[in-house]
Amino acid sequence: MALALMASYLEQLDYLTREISDIFPGNDALISQLTTLITACPSTFAYIHDPYTSRVTASLVNTLISSLSAIDTLSLVTGDDIVPIIASAQVNAVACFTSRLFYDTAFNRLAKWRPRWEEGCENWPGGAVGGVRYNDSLDGFLHGLRALHTQLSGDETEVSSLRKGKGRAQQQNGVKTVKMVLVVDRAERLKESLPELLVPLTRLAELSKVDIQTIFISQSPWEDTKPSMGAAIDPFHIYVRPPSQEETLRILTSRFPTDGDFAATPHAYHPALAQLYAQYAGALYSICSPFTRDPQELAYVAAAQWPSFVAPVLEAQKGATEFHPIPEDVRMRLLRVFLPSFTAALEALLPRRTHASAWSRMPDVNEGPRVDERNLEMVTRSLSTLQKYILLAAFLASSNPPRTDVRMFARSRETRSKRRRGGGTRRAPQRSASAPAKIPQRLAGPAAFPVDRLSAILASLLEEHDLELRAIGPEFTQPGEYTEMELGRVHTSGAIAELAAAQLLLRVSPPERLDGPPMYKCGISFDVALALGRDMCVPMLDLIWEAV
């Protein structure tokens, strides 16, 4: 009989493991390891390091320990078999920023005590007639853990009797084996807010003399969290690997409902759109995965972008009695149009500058690039002559390799006659079949450049295209002397700062960096640069090294 009951307990653990694995796909090894650690191993200190998806791991641990606490072990195991009852508590180190908040939260969740407003929001009283307080100090916290363990194991006090003031309840016939599990989420914050608790929490089972296990969950490694002087014991390390692309896409596609009515009116989550959503999720992952691998964050961005993404499809299906299949070429064109908007959505939604509901109600992104281009052309028309030349110099600095500056912008007559002009007559160097193909700079995006290189190219443009329009005094006798004097004035640096504030120049180096000149990127497109060059009578195609 006892073997059958023990087998039933193990089967229930297996069923629980499979059920949680379905909720958190891709974490089978972590779930199995934590289940064994909590149910079969002696109390120890464990440290879970998850640098990518710590919120998902915290939710997984909370679901697991709550499910283990709900198992009725007394009805499953009899005789000499000892299976402990799990009493668990998960405490967030950010929310519990004082020791009293930490103690009260741990006691309330271990005892499953819920403060009620009508009863004065009283915390767990401890089952003592004299009203002993266990949240004043670390010593009181340890005494409270012993009292709670005694209450849960043999001298258990019912919550209802405590609320009615009846004192202790009747002792039960058998003494139960209780194991307490204390989980601390965002444990790296303990080093800043509660450093005095960091060492005692790692030795909690040793100090309290009860069967309690402490688990830390953190984005930082233990070497950055542990206290100095070696006072804390070495934990049992558990490293959570980042979810793979297949696991993440499986989580994203599982959020799309596929059990709806195919004959229903076309809507954003129609079951016939499941295949399109899978392609949409794959494109979203390819764009956003270098910035975040958290499936919850990716699902948040996907839910915000999906209504705008599927709007053209729903418009084409408007008035149809049934959903027509979407051709493959339509899917590819739709993905190609929406790829630039994924980065903008991530930049707005990941730091929560806006919420998903507001983002989904924004106008269709199909009109976005053209509207931005028109606005950019309107902005460039209102710029001063110097700022327009700065933008042209910035575009050339972002497009041309630095080694070509002498050939393209040399001022002396000898080097100017030798430099290359135009892009149509150049021949690409022969390369072997095994060598990787070189990506043109126009397709690779603007390159960063230092501000002194920008000044050199700007001086060349002003000397060659703007010198005749300026009134130069007789005291400037050397070529380029007046231009260098003008570039050294404050208004040139001010013009660069104004362009950076308007996002026409993008600063890539941090402002606090003092070693070396500031680094910038050009913020205008190829077409805007050509239009600006025509306005200033600057032959941009002759000055671009890889001209089209």
Side-chain angles (χ1 to χ4, degrees), residues 203-398:
R203 299 176 174 269
L204 200 55
E206 175 187 350
L207 296 175
S208 62
K209 308 298 182 183
V210 297
D211 190 4
I212 184 170
Q213 184 159 6
T214 308
I215 300 176
F216 281 4
I217 303 175
S218 176
Q219 293 180 332
S220 304
W222 171 243
E223 287 72 17
D224 297 341
T225 308
K226 67 178 181 180
S228 58
M229 306 299 292
I233 62 175
D234 292 331
F236 177 77
H237 285 275
I238 300 177
Y239 177 77
V240 182
R241 62 174 181 82
S244 63
Q245 180 177 355
E246 294 77 10
E247 294 169 351
T248 305
L249 292 179
R250 187 171 58 173
I251 295 174
L252 294 179
T253 53
S254 65
R255 306 291 180 91
F256 192 89
T258 56
D259 54 352
D261 185 10
F262 279 83
T265 305
H267 56 88
Y269 290 94
H270 194 278
L273 295 173
Q275 187 176 2
L276 178 62
Y277 187 84
Q279 291 181 329
Y280 163 79
L284 178 71
Y285 180 85
S286 64
I287 296 297
C288 301
S289 59
F291 306 100
T292 178
R293 296 187 182 183
D294 191 345
Q296 291 185 350
E297 294 292 346
L298 293 175
Y300 188 77
V301 177
Q305 280 283 91
W306 177 250
S308 299
F309 179 83
V310 81
V313 178
L314 297 178
E315 186 66 24
Q317 303 280 347
K318 190 175 182 180
T321 56
E322 60 180 7
F323 211 102
H324 300 288
I326 305 172
E328 185 66 24
D329 57 337
V330 175
R331 298 177 188 174
M332 298 307 297
R333 286 201 305 267
L334 199 59
L335 289 172
R336 193 182 307 114
V337 170
F338 268 80
L339 280 180
S341 67
F342 290 153
T343 305
L346 185 69
E347 292 176 354
L349 296 173
L350 188 60
R352 297 299 188 268
R353 295 175 180 172
T354 183
H355 52 87
S357 178
W359 184 268
S360 62
R361 292 193 299 267
M362 293 181 66
D364 192 359
V365 299
N366 294 334
E367 301 295 331
R370 290 194 292 270
V371 173
D372 292 342
E373 198 72 22
R374 288 196 298 266
N375 292 339
L376 191 57
E377 291 180 0
M378 292 176 61
V379 170
T380 53
R381 290 173 188 168
S382 62
L383 298 177
S384 63
T385 302
L386 178 61
Q387 290 176 331
K388 291 179 180 180
Y389 275 110
I390 291 175
L391 283 182
L392 293 177
F395 182 81
L396 294 173
S398 287

Side-chain angles (χ1 to χ4, degrees), residues 68-111:
L68 292 175
S69 302
I71 297 179
D72 187 7
T73 57
L74 295 179
S75 62
L76 294 175
V77 180
T78 59
D80 297 334
D81 298 318
I82 299 176
V83 177
I85 299 174
I86 305 298
S88 61
Q90 186 158 348
V91 182
N92 191 301
V94 177
C96 301
F97 51 88
T98 64
S99 58
R100 179 165 292 185
L101 277 174
F102 188 94
Y103 299 151
D104 287 334
T105 304
F107 283 136
N108 290 339
R109 295 180 180 176
L110 286 171

Side-chain angles (χ1 to χ4, degrees), residues 8 46 62 111 155 192 218 281 284 349 390 393 433 453 463 523 537-538:
S8 177
N62 186 30
D155 190 12
E192 302 175 2
S218 176
L284 178 71
L349 296 173
I390 291 175
R453 184 179 173 219
E463 188 71 16
C537 299
V538 177

Side-chain angles (χ1 to χ4, degrees), residues 113-124:
W113 177 274
R114 186 176 181 181
R116 297 180 180 177
W117 178 262
E118 58 271 12
E119 297 181 4
C121 297
E122 182 186 11
N123 291 312
W124 176 69

Side-chain angles (χ1 to χ4, degrees), residues 510-528:
E512 62 272 8
R513 178 183 174 184
L514 299 179
D515 53 334
M519 302 290 291
Y520 291 94
K521 281 185 179 181
C522 184
I524 62 175
S525 64
F526 180 78
D527 296 332
V528 174

